[in-house]
Amino acid sequence: MEHVISAENLTLAYGRDEPIITEAQMKINPNEFVFITGKSGSGKSTILKSMYGELVPKRGDLKVCGVNIKSITSSKLNVLRRYLGIVFQDYRLINEWTVEKNVMLPLMIGGFSKGVCLKQAQKLLKHVKLLHKADKYPLELSGGEQQRVAMARALAHNPVMILADEPTGNLDEYSSEVIWDLLKNAREHLGTTVVVVTHHIPSTLGIDYKHFFLESGVVYEVS
Amino acid sequence: MRSLKNHLSVILPLFILLFSLQFTFLMEKIVKNYETKLTQDYSIVVVASKPLSKAVVKSRISGIKSLEEISSKKILDRLKGNISSKNISLLKIALPKFYSIKLKAFPSIQEIERIKKELLASGFITKVETFSKTHNKIYRMFQALKNTSLIFSVLIVIISLFLMFKQMKIWLLEHKDRMAIMTLFGAPFWMKSAVLYRLVVVDSFISTALVGVFFIFFPKFDNVKDFTSSLNITIPKFNLVHDTGILLGISLLFSLFIVTIVIRKMNKE
């Protein structure tokens, strides 16, 4: 089976700084639910960044959906990113756009018609229980609501894989539950691979998952 | 309000840039028209020991438009009272031939000198009067006028481009977050930058329209009419299709070029 993510001796560093991750080995299969945990500054977000091509490996190989990130061209990276759904801890919503338009973004990039984009955005906003706020702007929403919008955006184009960076980090219990439910549903019903960087794995999740733990720049697979 | 200010920050330098270019084009046309007028009035007088033909003169100077003989009758008529008719007849035979040469284009000072040299080198042309003093004065004035307007325009264009660069950078900073987010979702270059391109295209149209309106209505003011007629010049009409096309083309070219440069530079950073 082709791995969705395959890292061989992956070393990551910012510029000429000391490596943050050294010689990491990781294999993630399609439809897996994966947690990457570790202390603050251990390099969890750095690994995620390399998975969506924001950081090029210093040494070793990293393949995402079969594409080698080390030698990827910018146009191919654009194409790869259209198959990914990314969720950031700081939401990264476009504040000048309405909630609805934010959710439509990946579909617009995918070249879907306005009608299709609108229908899908409304469907997802209903899922995250924010349809009544479709015309609002992100800054008019609470942090939890903004993260739910970001989750709807990440799911809008039925991505092959969702990469979520501490998606429930600053959220209230209700919003956290909505986010975990959405991620579980995406994996269960759409066959999406889910990679979540987090400090704590929720105990009430009730699903099988793979767990990578980071310490002192080394990646351990927890069995 | 902020959006209007943003637009004005581009429209204004673009307007100034187009205005100065159109002004230079206009000056070129006015000077050219005036030169044509002067060329019609300007002629070189030559004194020849034998009759001249246009072909002979043309073999020496290429830009000749016409060659006309100046009749000596008027001079001889004036002398009739003082000199006997026999002497008049002798004088008529002895008098050299006078010709007036008209040129196709208004010559430069160097050209005048060359023409004079060429004609005198023929051997049978004994004197050439180019009225160079008057000619040179007018010619130098025209050159100064043209050069001043050109230098003025170049400076304005540089300043305008600089201002536009600055404004594009401000725009880009305003749109940086949006563009970064779109990049993370795989948006192609054109999609990320579409807003900026749309803004400069709209502003190019507005600036062109404003410059067009100015140059259509400005010559129609009574004060302008009085001024130009006192100088014996006519302001060429603004050609709605041709002139607007050129201005819009220049404006789009400059603004699209600048926005592309700024986006590419920012992407690299």
Side-chain angles (χ1 to χ4, degrees), chain A residues 52 54 78 81-82 86 88 92-94 97 105 108-109 153, chain B residues 174 177-179 181-189 191-192:
Chain A
Y52 57 81
E54 187 82 336
N78 277 344
R81 282 173 174 172
R82 287 172 210 163
I86 313 169
F88 305 93
R92 297 212 196 163
L93 297 171
I94 298 172
W97 289 8
L105 175 68
M108 283 155 58
I109 293 169
R153 178 181 64 182
Chain B
E174 282 174 6
D177 287 345
R178 178 187 56 78
M179 288 168 83
I181 293 165
M182 290 178 89
T183 305
L184 289 171
F185 283 87
F189 177 82
M191 194 184 248
K192 287 184 283 182

Side-chain angles (χ1 to χ4, degrees), chain A residues 93-220:
Chain A
L93 297 171
I94 298 172
N95 294 328
E96 300 79 28
W97 289 8
T98 61
V99 161
E100 192 173 67
K101 199 174 174 187
N102 267 285
V103 178
M104 282 161 65
L105 175 68
L107 297 157
M108 283 155 58
I109 293 169
F112 291 93
S113 70
K114 203 179 173 188
V116 172
C117 296
L118 211 64
K119 209 173 161 187
Q120 178 74 345
Q122 284 174 353
K123 188 179 138 192
L124 280 154
L125 283 173
K126 202 175 168 186
H127 273 303
V128 296
K129 295 164 181 69
L130 282 172
L131 188 58
H132 61 292
K133 294 199 172 175
D135 294 332
K136 299 267 180 208
Y137 289 88
L139 294 179
E140 294 174 291
L141 274 74
S142 71
E145 287 171 330
Q146 287 189 54
Q147 191 61 301
R148 275 146 63 194
V149 174
M151 184 55 74
R153 178 181 64 182
L155 289 166
H157 54 308
N158 296 336
V160 172
M161 177 165 59
I162 289 180
L163 302 170
D165 190 1
E166 305 203 23
T168 56
N170 307 316
L171 304 189
D172 56 274
E173 206 175 315
Y174 173 73
S175 291
S176 296
E177 263 178 40
V178 173
I179 300 285
W180 289 123
D181 280 346
L182 280 168
L183 290 172
K184 279 195 293 183
N185 281 335
R187 184 213 162 191
E188 214 173 298
H189 300 114
L190 303 170
T192 314
T193 307
V194 180
V195 180
V196 181
V197 160
T198 184
H199 278 291
H200 305 287
I201 301 171
S203 52
T204 54
L205 207 59
I207 53 161
D208 291 335
Y209 57 84
K210 190 179 257 183
H211 180 196
F212 292 103
F213 176 70
L214 269 67
E215 195 173 53
S216 310
V218 181
V219 179
Y220 302 96

Side-chain angles (χ1 to χ4, degrees), chain B residues 2 11 26 37 44 54 61 74 79 83 108 110 119 122 131-132 143 153 183 196 216 236 256 265-266:
Chain B
R2 201 174 135 201
I11 290 171
L26 202 69
K37 257 189 207 170
I44 297 168
K54 196 178 172 183
I61 48 172
K74 268 186 187 174
L79 297 171
I83 305 169
S108 66
Q110 291 78 15
L119 291 172
S122 68
F131 306 102
S132 60
Q143 286 306 312
S153 294
T183 305
L196 294 179
I216 287 169
L256 292 177
K265 206 177 152 197
M266 215 73 151

Side-chain angles (χ1 to χ4, degrees), chain A residues 22-89:
Chain A
T22 22
E23 306 282 319
Q25 314 288 338
M26 287 175 92
K27 302 272 184 238
I28 297 173
N29 297 316
N31 201 24
E32 261 185 331
F33 205 111
V34 179
F35 282 105
I36 300 173
T37 62
K39 285 180 190 168
S40 294
S42 59
K44 305 186 293 291
S45 298
T46 305
I47 281 200
L48 212 67
K49 270 186 184 175
S50 69
M51 287 176 184
Y52 57 81
E54 187 82 336
L55 186 69
V56 179
K58 193 169 187 181
R59 282 190 296 275
D61 277 326
L62 173 65
K63 283 185 181 171
V64 178
C65 301
V67 183
N68 196 333
I69 293 291
K70 209 172 176 181
S71 55
I72 197 166
T73 59
S74 63
S75 59
K76 275 189 180 166
L77 183 62
N78 277 344
V79 175
L80 174 68
R81 282 173 174 172
R82 287 172 210 163
Y83 290 95
L84 306 176
I86 313 169
V87 183
F88 305 93
Q89 193 181 7

Side-chain angles (χ1 to χ4, degrees), chain B residues 119-168:
Chain B
L119 291 172
L120 288 172
S122 68
F124 47 83
I125 292 173
T126 54
K127 193 161 172 56
V128 178
E129 181 51 72
T130 56
F131 306 102
S132 60
K133 206 173 171 186
T134 320
H135 164 274
N136 292 356
K137 208 166 137 188
I138 296 167
Y139 186 80
R140 282 203 181 102
M141 194 187 79
F142 275 155
Q143 286 306 312
L145 206 64
K146 270 205 254 184
N147 292 342
T148 312
S149 112
L150 190 72
I151 291 166
F152 165 76
S153 294
V154 169
L155 284 175
I156 295 282
V157 166
I158 292 169
I159 293 166
S160 306
L161 289 179
F162 178 75
L163 287 174
M164 282 171 69
F165 256 112
K166 287 277 168 204
Q167 185 54 35
M168 296 295 160

